[in-house]
Amino acid sequence: MSEAPRPVRVAERPPTDRPRERLNALGPSALSDAELLALILRTGTANEDVLGFASRVLSALGGLGTISRMHASELVAVPGIGPATAAEIVAALELGRRAAQRLGEERPLILRAADAAALLGPGLAHLEQERCVVLLLDRKHRVLREVVVGMGGISHAPMEPREVFAAALREPGVAAVLVAHNHPSGDATPSREDRAITRRLADGASLLGIEFLDHVIVASSGWASIRHGE
């Protein structure tokens, strides 16, 4: 009888498929629940790598929502999860709850392009590569989450409507979106491509019933609003 194939370990995957590298490059919001859990679990089992193990744990326990309500003593009943790992999972989820509570009290309000530029400019304006982000907003235009939806080179980063709206549809309570990206050249003047993708995003938002607030470009020289010509 032939032996079962050895599972591919995370360290053997391409860097773009490794949770830690993806988190460092794209930010935590770009990772799936399984990838985030895998970072806490750290190791898999004899028959599966840590990503497979994390996916199985989520499936067996009914997803992240169920896990977030479980006590450490319940988590250790899952084969492969010891007391130390169970405590780390419970602690991480509690930190997330507390952070969400604080953010709910202090979430930035985005009423115009200048608000978005003030929020995003310090993190985007001086990057050497283009990065595209979307601000997911509630009905009062308070920020629910900032999500990286594209990264590129010096002069171009892809911003596909499907990535923008997939992020919006995954986040509960999203009523509006604002997209932004940086120009490493230092010139915030919108290009023809910038204006074209803005039209596509506005059309897509209209079809989905989501308010499209603006597309803001930030650069070392300043910022620009495509929708409002500021």
Side-chain angles (χ1 to χ4, degrees):
M1 181 181 296
S2 61
E3 294 183 358
R6 182 180 66 83
V8 176
R9 303 300 179 186
V10 169
E12 299 171 342
R13 295 173 180 264
T16 53
D17 291 343
R18 300 174 194 167
R20 184 177 291 109
E21 283 76 359
R22 280 173 45 75
L23 183 144
N24 290 336
L26 302 176
S29 60
L31 273 64
S32 67
D33 292 349
E35 289 174 312
L36 291 171
L37 182 57
L39 288 173
I40 300 175
L41 295 173
R42 290 193 293 277
T43 59
T45 67
N47 299 317
E48 57 195 344
D49 73 355
V50 68
L51 281 170
F53 181 33
S55 297
R56 181 168 60 82
V57 169
L58 286 167
S59 178
L61 296 180
L64 196 57
T66 300
I67 294 175
S68 70
R69 297 189 294 271
M70 296 179 71
H71 190 271
S73 61
E74 297 174 289
L75 290 173
V76 296
V78 178
I81 297 181
T85 301
E88 290 172 359
I89 293 172
V90 170
L93 290 168
E94 179 60 24
L95 279 173
R97 273 190 289 268
R98 295 184 187 187
Q101 182 179 3
R102 305 298 191 275
L103 286 173
E105 298 167 354
E106 305 169 1
R107 283 183 293 167
L109 189 64
I110 307 296
L111 298 178
R112 54 191 182 276
D115 298 329
L119 177 65
L120 298 172
L124 290 179
H126 298 284
L127 293 177
E128 295 181 354
Q129 295 181 320
E130 281 202 9
R131 179 174 298 184
C132 307
V133 302
V134 55
L135 292 180
L136 307 178
L137 311 173
D138 66 13
R139 294 188 181 280
K140 295 183 178 180
H141 290 180
R142 294 175 300 189
V143 176
L144 294 169
R145 189 182 296 273
E146 175 187 335
V147 182
V148 176
V149 292
M151 295 183 68
I154 295 174
S155 61
H156 176 69
M159 186 190 296
E160 292 295 333
R162 64 175 177 272
E163 299 296 334
V164 172
F165 296 119
L169 294 173
R170 284 195 301 264
E171 184 76 15
V174 173
V177 297
L178 180 144
V179 298
H181 78 279
N182 62 306
H183 278 183
S185 66
D187 183 359
T189 303
S191 67
R192 182 173 59 185
E193 292 78 9
D194 293 334
R195 297 186 184 282
I197 190 61
T198 301
R199 290 191 291 271
R200 292 176 61 196
L201 289 167
D203 290 343
S206 178
L207 288 172
L208 293 171
I210 297 174
E211 181 182 359
F212 181 66
L213 205 60
D214 207 339
H215 181 182
V216 175
I217 298 171
V218 296
S220 57
S221 64
W223 59 272
S225 162
I226 295 181
R227 294 210 77 186
H228 300 290
E230 297 175 5

